[in-house]
Amino acid sequence: MGGLVALVLLAVSAGLGLLLGSGLGDGRWIGLALGALVGGVPGGVFGWAVARWEPYDVRRGRGLLAVAVDVTWSLPNTWAGAVFLAVNLLLGNRVEPDLTRHSGAVHLVNGVFPPIGGVRYVTTIGTVIAGVAPAVHRHEHGHILQARLFGPLYLPLVVSHYVVATVVPYWWLYHDHGRYPITDLGSYLTRGVYHHVWHEEWCYRRYGPPR
């Protein structure tokens, strides 16, 4: 299964590279090579992780459906997660086997942000979760579900809403200022914007408020 995931990422990236380079004459081969590099390296790393730690339980229909979605409709998210995984492993992070096996995600031991105000942040990109904090694991898997539902629209929707929520703080009108006071730029971003972008509010409502 890991080989299949890696092959799909490699093939799609190489194809896109060839397509983008097709108008450059001989440059199309450069495009093909760059596409293969961009897709092949992270795809190979992700495929290796899938083969070794088995995040997809392919014995069950749910696991087969997850991998099918991840290499088709949600492929841009899978690629982003593969890049995220490759960078983390390069920097010394490591996979947590027990949290990864048959979970539908590759789970890394260390987060990418230091604790802020005593809060440990866990980051999810595509099907890769960085950081161990049991209280928010269901929340993070909620983001993986969102990526699979919205596919190629997911990351653009997330980024664009962060921009909107930062520039136009509509959420100020219903924000819980007593529980999460906003006193400076840091708290504006971490307690305000972060809590009120659509994908976070969705998961807070389904899996419980932030802790």
Side-chain angles (χ1 to χ4, degrees), residues 66-155:
V67 72
V69 171
D70 286 348
V71 298
T72 54
W73 171 244
S74 191
L75 184 60
N77 304 310
T78 304
W79 175 81
V83 173
F84 184 57
L85 174 65
V87 171
N88 268 272
L89 293 178
L90 182 64
L91 294 177
N93 209 341
R94 63 189 189 278
V95 175
E96 212 302 323
D98 292 336
L99 291 176
T100 295
R101 182 173 171 79
H102 295 172
S103 69
V106 176
H107 205 126
L108 296 166
V109 172
N110 301 315
V112 297
F113 297 106
I116 301 175
V119 177
R120 297 173 63 188
Y121 284 88
V122 179
T123 304
T124 299
I125 298 179
T127 55
V128 178
I129 301 172
V132 175
V136 298
H137 286 175
R138 291 178 68 242
H139 176 111
E140 298 306 316
H141 278 276
H143 292 317
I144 294 174
L145 174 62
Q146 291 168 342
R148 287 171 176 155
L149 289 174
F150 289 93
L153 303 176
Y154 178 66
L155 289 176

Side-chain angles (χ1 to χ4, degrees), residues 175-182 191 195 208-211:
H175 177 74
D176 188 346
H177 292 273
R179 189 175 182 183
Y180 305 106
I182 296 176
R191 296 177 179 174
H195 283 180
R211 302 178 185 179

